[in-house]
Amino acid sequence: MNLQHVDILIIGAGPAGLAAAIAAREDGVDSILVLEREAQPGGILRQCIHNGFGLHRFREELTGPEYAQRDIDRARELGISIECNVTVLSVSPDRVVTCVSPLQGLRRIQAGAVILAMGCRERPRGALCTPGTRCAGIYSAGTAQRFVNLEGFMPGRRVVILGSGDIGLIMARRMTLQGAKVLACVEIMPYSSGLNRNIVQCLQDYDIPLYLSHTVTDIRGRERLESVVVSQVDERRRPVPGTEMVFECDTLLLSVGLIPENELSEGAGVELSPATSGAVVSDTLETSVPGIFACGNVLHVHDLVDHVSDESFRAGHAAAAYVRSERKAERLISVVDGAGVRGCVPQKIHLAPVSPVTLMFRPSGVFRNASVVISSGKKDLLRRKSMIFTPGEMAAYDLKPECFEGLDGSEPITVRIEE
């Protein structure tokens, strides 16, 4: 089998992959190939027909397809090669990518650098261990979104949503606008896992009740879903007897978390973080395997696509520098999660960064009038107060290069929340 060669190969033509490709091409790399398993580029944005995208990056409100089209058009202007209907089977530690497609069959490609931008998938019912029958009418919220927005198919008319992730909240509004009755949104945690703006715009504006500290404890129906039982849970998330509510419905949508698509990363020997389920990366978005980079939702699940693009631009620039051998070997300092912090990215930082380093994390709970403190040993690198931290909204802080002066890497950087 002939071995094709490219400078940079990007897996995924969603917002992350497109942004990384654009950045690398604008940095002067000509040999770039983007592989996409779907029939068209754009990723999940193709089915996100609601607005609210692009406010940070473009300073205007766009729908998902409009946002994606801007990057697709820019990639075409730059002459970037995007191949669709291509499934990547494996990535080796020495950056040999094996893929298959209907047009070209099985082939192997040697890349100077690989950028992983495969996105994430939804957690299925099987991961929840919810008791009840295995009847029709149970969908992930993203699947329902695809049915309604791309396929023109309504999953049902009486709907309960389990989980308050952003996709579930948005589908509560979408199903209502399509004529369905959304009976309730049920969240096992005492707080929502979605953005506050979506709670207001998608639930409160349509009088859809949100039951916090509740979960579905039984699913009833033979061929088709007939009803679900919702119970309150205690502080250990166990159902409280006597609190059961029965909702007669034909559809249950699951919005219970997203999981980075990291099977290819594992196969390449990339170290994964137990906190994010994504790769462990440095401030250049390089993984533990030299020349393999990761960005977007395959790295950690983001709130806003604008932040995905920003991160992926950095990955594209870093990959371009790598293939040109511009990055010198430097010591790395570790970044660890402190009190109140979960899944800080990046997990390692070069001791002499040439530009500000953005640290992103999710709070482990709800904190009011608290401060984020980033320190190394006894030195505070940053201390900033905020009115509220919630797990549903990503926190991001920039560390300027001068913050790292005097650090020798012997003590890690700790990110914590102080009340």
Side-chain angles (χ1 to χ4, degrees):
M1 186 185 303
N2 293 330
L3 192 64
Q4 181 182 348
H5 291 265
V6 298
D7 286 339
I8 296 178
L9 187 143
I10 301 169
I11 305 174
L18 291 172
I22 291 168
R25 174 54 59 86
E26 290 178 343
D27 267 6
V29 179
D30 292 326
S31 178
I32 300 173
L33 177 61
V34 184
L35 302 181
E36 169 58 50
R37 67 184 175 188
E38 295 290 330
Q40 300 175 45
I44 196 67
L45 292 181
R46 293 178 52 244
Q47 67 186 52
C48 299
I49 65 173
H50 54 281
N51 59 11
F53 301 92
L55 288 171
H56 294 267
R57 181 180 171 194
F58 297 114
R59 297 294 187 266
E60 60 179 302
E61 200 170 37
L62 304 172
T63 64
E66 288 173 331
Y67 187 104
Q69 194 61 47
R70 294 199 177 189
D71 282 338
I72 293 170
D73 291 344
R74 180 59 179 156
R76 287 173 177 164
E77 287 176 10
L78 294 171
I80 296 171
S81 177
I82 303 174
E83 295 185 13
C84 296
N85 289 317
V86 178
T87 299
V88 175
L89 302 178
S90 66
V91 180
S92 72
D94 56 353
R95 303 182 301 282
V96 174
V97 176
T98 303
C99 60
V100 65
S101 66
L103 290 178
Q104 301 192 50
L106 186 68
R107 57 184 170 143
R108 299 171 71 235
I109 305 168
Q110 174 69 65
V114 173
I115 301 178
L116 306 172
M118 295 88 72
C120 59
R121 65 176 182 269
E122 295 176 281
R123 184 171 283 111
R125 176 188 175 179
L128 305 179
C129 299
T130 302
T133 57
R134 304 197 64 81
C135 49
I138 304 172
Y139 306 89
S140 70
T143 299
Q145 185 182 60
R146 183 182 181 93
F147 283 160
V148 175
N149 294 345
L150 292 183
E151 310 294 341
F153 170 73
M154 275 292 285
R157 292 294 173 180
R158 291 179 61 83
V159 183
V160 171
I161 298 175
L162 175 59
S164 59
D166 287 312
I167 302 176
L169 298 176
I170 288 165
M171 281 309 295
R173 177 179 61 186
R174 186 74 178 107
M175 296 291 282
T176 300
L177 292 174
Q178 286 298 112
K181 176 64 176 177
V182 180
L183 305 174
C185 182
V186 181
E187 170 59 57
I188 194 170
M189 301 300 289
Y191 47 78
S192 171
S193 58
L195 293 171
N196 187 62
R197 76 180 190 193
N198 286 332
I199 297 171
V200 174
Q201 296 174 3
C202 301
L203 296 185
Q204 295 177 6
D205 286 357
Y206 295 90
D207 296 322
I208 299 171
L210 172 61
Y211 293 94
L212 299 175
S213 297
H214 284 72
T215 192
V216 172
T217 52
D218 196 14
I219 295 172
R220 298 173 178 174
R222 290 180 61 84
E223 299 300 322
R224 177 79 190 193
L225 179 65
E226 297 172 2
S227 65
V228 297
V229 178
V230 173
S231 302
Q232 186 177 346
V233 298
D234 59 20
E235 62 277 2
R236 298 179 64 182
R237 298 201 284 273
R238 296 179 304 185
V240 178
T243 63
E244 296 84 0
M245 297 181 289
V246 178
F247 291 90
E248 295 184 359
C249 58
D250 58 16
T251 306
L252 176 65
L253 300 187
L254 306 178
S255 180
V256 291
L258 300 169
I259 306 169
E261 290 268 19
N262 266 308
E263 288 76 14
L264 293 176
S265 310
E266 285 187 284
V270 169
E271 179 186 357
L272 300 184
S273 163
T276 64
S277 298
V280 172
V281 295
S282 70
D283 52 301
T284 61
L285 286 310
E286 188 173 18
T287 69
S288 59
V289 179
I292 298 182
F293 300 77
C295 57
N297 283 350
V298 77
L299 178 58
H300 57 146
V301 178
H302 293 66
D303 302 328
L304 303 177
V305 69
D306 306 66
H307 296 160
V308 168
S309 297
D310 288 343
E311 180 177 270
S312 302
F313 284 135
R314 297 199 304 272
H317 291 310
Y322 179 87
V323 298
R324 292 196 298 260
S325 302
E326 293 178 355
R327 187 77 193 187
K328 298 179 181 178
E330 297 176 13
R331 291 186 62 187
L332 294 168
I333 184 170
S334 297
V335 180
V336 298
D337 297 344
V341 170
R342 184 177 76 244
C344 193
V345 175
Q347 295 89 351
K348 300 178 185 296
I349 300 175
H350 290 87
L351 277 175
V354 296
S355 58
V357 176
T358 301
L359 291 176
M360 304 182 73
F361 65 88
R362 288 190 183 274
S364 60
V366 178
F367 301 90
R368 300 182 186 277
N369 296 318
S371 297
V372 62
V373 180
I374 304 176
S375 61
S376 179
K378 296 181 180 180
K379 179 182 179 182
D380 283 356
L381 310 181
L382 181 144
R383 180 182 290 267
R384 193 165 299 165
K385 192 168 186 178
S386 181
M387 292 181 62
I388 189 169
F389 293 95
T390 66
E393 299 195 29
M394 187 82 75
Y397 295 90
D398 289 338
L399 293 180
K400 297 179 180 179
E402 52 264 32
C403 292
F404 298 89
E405 294 177 359
L407 302 185
D408 59 7
S410 60
E411 295 186 87
I413 292 174
T414 302
V415 184
R416 66 184 187 276
I417 294 177
E418 288 186 356
E419 294 187 275

